[in-house]
Amino acid sequence: MDKKIHIFDTTLRDGEQVPGCQLNTIEKIEIARQLEKLGVDIIEAGFPISSPGDFNSVVEISKTVEKPVVCALTRAVDKDIEVAADSLKFAKRKRIHTGIGTSEFHIKNKLNSNREDILKRAVAAVKLSRKFVDDVEFYAEDAGRTENEYLARVIEAVIKAGATVVNIPDTTGYCLPAEYGEKIAYLLNNVPNIDKAVISTHCHNDLGMATANTLAGVINGARQVEVTMNGIGERAGNTSLEEVVMAMKSHHSLDYETGIDTRQIIRTSKLVSTLMRMPVQPNKAIVGRNAFAHSSGIHQDGVLKNRQNYEIIDPAEVGVKESAIVLTARSGRAALKHRLQIIGYDFDSDELEDVYNRFLDLADRKKDISDEDLEILAGREKKGKPPIELVSLQVMCGKSTIPTATVQVSFKGDVFTETASGNGPIDASFTAVKNLVKRRVRLEEFLIQAITRGSDDLGKVHVQIEHKGDNYYGFSAHTDIVTASVEAFLDALGKIS
Ligand code: KIV
Ligand code: ZN
């Protein structure tokens, strides 16, 4: 059997049906261009009868893309088919995708019809479509819940009428993988003219099984898969393109080929997410921001020893530069050392132990540790311990409270404590420090660097003090801005000889 699996992308049709994800024509063209770069075989560009905007998008996408087949969706309704044919007039390669519900639910409750009538309408729709284009795909809506024998009759009839592709949608996402696979196998074995058409899967994710069902379909003989980028689509979404493609690529036992340039996956995912204003869940397979991120110490150590210990896909294969070692309170020394080396610090084991302890202290207060935070931790280590160290700091402040600070510092092995009040927590703390050190100093400059990356970020403080005509500079960073201020002040004081 042919190894080639045709990738039919319906991000711009089924994906775009999601409330709030509507795109204008320019945005659709941008996505279509990227899908062409990604290497999809068919782009379902829209449902032209549904709105003038959708019609126009199919026209413009038809003018834009060269290689992929451009496909337009219709119901089994003459007017739909005529309008779809018109919208495709500029396409280099074109397909009409027509169909009708075949399950008892759809026949009785939606179409208020019967099996024989549905069969006739299906055949008529395919015949009319073939008058406009050579490539006609037929979908048996809700095929997942359609009884196999009747489905086979419909499929045989539409192939006879000229359908080149037969789509077997699990419209409600109801099937189990084995059940869906058996359905495809049943059609392959029981439709006499099945060799004249390509069988297509179209699975929804209501029970989280869209990818598994699609693969079961392929294993049982389907040669086209209908997918969307990021799995976007009605309700729980459609099958994710990236999951199916990477599952086939990663499992050598699944000996299939696609035309997808997998290095374009992340770029496409981000474009779709941004333009559709639909964030990708962080733990989404392949394209989630955590898909290649390692935060536990054991995993980080394993990945640093050999990426394959915890990664089944090389991130570069899908366009991600490198796996992210996220430094958090659960990270170990190996990950910290690795990151420090990347940013240019090579510590011996004692120094590393010291940085690691301060790193853990910071990581307990702050979710992720950035390179900038590490620079601060590492920089302090290189400078050595300050001569005057802050042991503890207690401040009381707030509306209707006199700001008061109790500061405890250590100097040459002794610990000193002082309490003072001021016009704010920093002023009170500085006064307490000044009383302790008993030096005549003047604060010349005091700069708090704005927190830009969230309320748990490090606040950075630079101070300049004057003593007997000379200037001394101090710096510190801390998640507590008052602590950072006092430490910066002590840093500067410690430099007075
Ligand atoms: O889910 C479905 O059945 C569909 C068809 C219109 C192909 O999207
Ligand atoms: Zn669908």
Side-chain angles (χ1 to χ4, degrees):
M1 219 173 170
D2 195 3
K3 284 183 178 183
K4 162 91 183 182
I5 305 298
H6 294 90
I7 304 294
F8 177 114
D9 184 277
T10 183
T11 306
L12 296 174
R13 199 278 298 169
D14 226 351
E16 212 245 355
Q17 283 175 213
V18 176
C21 288
Q22 275 64 43
L23 300 167
N24 61 36
T25 303
I26 294 169
E27 290 167 331
K28 284 190 188 175
I29 291 172
E30 203 178 334
I31 291 181
R33 282 211 177 102
Q34 181 56 32
L35 290 172
E36 183 167 26
K37 266 198 208 142
L38 180 66
V40 307
D41 300 285
I42 303 110
I43 294 177
E44 188 162 50
F47 181 17
I49 192 84
S50 67
S51 72
D54 238 39
F55 178 89
N56 196 35
S57 299
V58 180
V59 172
E60 295 307 322
I61 290 170
S62 299
K63 289 182 192 162
T64 306
V65 301
E66 300 274 333
K67 276 210 242 141
V69 172
V70 179
C71 178
L73 184 80
T74 81
R75 294 165 297 182
V77 172
D78 291 0
K79 186 73 187 156
D80 282 30
I81 296 168
E82 286 153 15
V83 171
D86 193 24
S87 72
L88 290 168
K89 57 183 177 281
F90 298 109
K92 325 258 165 330
R93 302 169 68 203
K94 53 185 99 173
R95 177 183 295 180
I96 291 178
H97 187 190
T98 189
I100 196 161
T102 52
S103 68
E104 287 306 296
F105 294 99
H106 280 225
I107 295 175
K108 299 250 158 64
N109 308 331
K110 181 178 141 178
L111 301 161
N112 194 20
S113 184
N114 58 65
R115 285 185 169 189
E116 293 317 308
D117 179 51
I118 294 299
L119 195 83
K120 279 192 206 132
R121 285 163 70 179
V123 167
V126 171
K127 281 192 172 155
L128 179 61
S129 303
R130 277 300 300 252
K131 291 203 169 125
F132 299 107
V133 292
D134 293 335
D135 188 0
V136 173
E137 174 168 339
F138 173 80
Y139 65 86
E141 195 178 6
D142 205 15
R145 294 188 299 172
T146 301
E147 191 243 316
N148 284 348
E149 224 173 291
Y150 175 63
L151 185 61
R153 273 183 63 209
V154 176
I155 296 302
E156 182 181 352
V158 295
I159 294 175
K160 200 161 159 225
T164 45
V165 181
V166 286
N167 178 13
I168 312 301
D170 182 21
T171 305
T172 57
Y174 177 72
C175 287
L176 296 171
E179 190 183 358
Y180 189 74
E182 276 161 24
K183 195 173 276 291
I184 302 297
Y186 182 90
L187 295 174
L188 206 62
N189 296 327
N190 291 280
V191 173
N193 54 359
I194 198 72
D195 58 318
K196 309 257 174 337
V198 171
I199 303 180
S200 181
T201 66
H202 179 114
C203 300
H204 280 264
N205 205 28
D206 298 66
L207 292 174
M209 282 185 283
T211 297
N213 285 347
T214 299
L215 290 172
V218 168
I219 291 164
N220 283 283
R223 285 296 173 266
Q224 176 180 287
V225 292
E226 304 198 2
V227 289
T228 61
M229 206 60 223
N230 301 339
I232 197 163
E234 287 268 12
R235 307 183 308 280
N238 288 56
T239 309
S240 306
L241 179 150
E242 63 276 12
E243 291 176 13
V244 173
V245 168
M246 291 315 293
M248 293 196 288
K249 194 167 178 189
S250 314
H251 277 266
H252 299 300
S253 59
L254 300 177
D255 188 19
Y256 305 113
E257 284 161 12
T258 72
I260 296 295
D261 176 358
T262 59
R263 289 162 308 171
Q264 294 289 335
I265 284 180
I266 283 294
R267 184 186 292 245
T268 317
S269 162
K270 288 197 169 138
L271 182 70
V272 167
S273 167
T274 307
L275 294 183
M276 288 192 158
R277 296 160 285 275
M278 184 78 162
V280 175
Q281 75 193 58
N283 59 327
K284 167 81 183 61
I286 321 290
V287 293
R289 96 175 113 81
N290 292 345
F292 299 100
H294 306 274
S295 78
S296 87
I298 295 171
H299 286 209
Q300 291 180 342
D301 187 45
V303 167
L304 292 173
K305 285 181 176 137
N306 185 332
R307 192 188 56 71
Q308 286 176 324
N309 282 333
Y310 287 101
E311 277 177 1
I312 55 164
I313 296 169
D314 180 347
E317 266 189 71
V318 295
V320 174
K321 273 202 210 94
E322 55 174 351
S323 335
I325 298 288
V326 183
L327 292 177
T328 68
R330 292 184 309 284
S331 300
R333 289 165 185 79
L336 178 66
K337 187 170 181 200
H338 172 77
R339 196 70 220 163
L340 285 168
Q341 276 168 347
I342 288 176
I343 63 171
Y345 293 93
D346 218 346
F347 288 117
D348 65 29
S349 52
D350 284 350
E351 287 172 327
L352 182 70
E353 200 54 29
D354 229 45
V355 183
Y356 184 64
N357 286 335
R358 275 184 292 107
F359 157 77
L360 285 184
D361 181 47
L362 178 61
D364 272 340
R365 283 178 278 121
K366 190 171 184 279
K367 266 184 264 147
D368 296 339
I369 306 292
S370 67
D371 284 354
E372 217 182 340
D373 300 332
L374 287 186
E375 290 277 4
I376 290 163
L377 290 177
R380 210 181 124 189
E381 190 51 39
K382 283 286 171 212
K383 276 195 291 177
K385 277 194 180 15
I388 313 173
E389 260 199 296
L390 182 65
V391 177
S392 76
L393 171 68
Q394 233 178 35
V395 287
M396 206 170 65
C397 61
K399 208 174 167 197
S400 318
T401 308
I402 297 172
T404 310
T406 301
V407 179
Q408 215 172 40
V409 299
S410 82
F411 180 63
K412 292 189 176 161
D414 291 322
V415 174
F416 305 89
T417 307
E418 180 71 35
T419 299
S421 54
N423 64 12
I426 293 174
D427 185 46
S429 311
F430 278 26
T431 306
V433 170
K434 278 189 210 162
N435 293 345
L436 270 177
V437 299
K438 298 188 177 69
R439 288 200 195 255
R440 286 177 60 83
V441 290
R442 206 176 51 235
L443 188 62
E444 293 284 323
E445 205 172 295
F446 175 71
L447 183 78
I448 298 184
Q449 206 168 314
I451 293 167
T452 52
R453 278 174 306 164
S455 57
D456 70 346
D457 200 4
L458 280 178
K460 292 161 206 137
V461 178
H462 293 262
V463 299
Q464 183 188 329
I465 58 173
E466 186 270 335
H467 174 67
K468 293 186 179 168
D470 287 326
N471 284 329
Y472 300 89
Y473 299 89
F475 170 77
S476 184
H478 201 278
T479 49
D480 177 333
I481 205 71
V482 183
T483 301
S485 306
V486 176
E487 281 182 349
F489 191 35
L490 292 174
D491 188 31
L493 286 168
K495 288 172 186 162
I496 302 172
S497 46

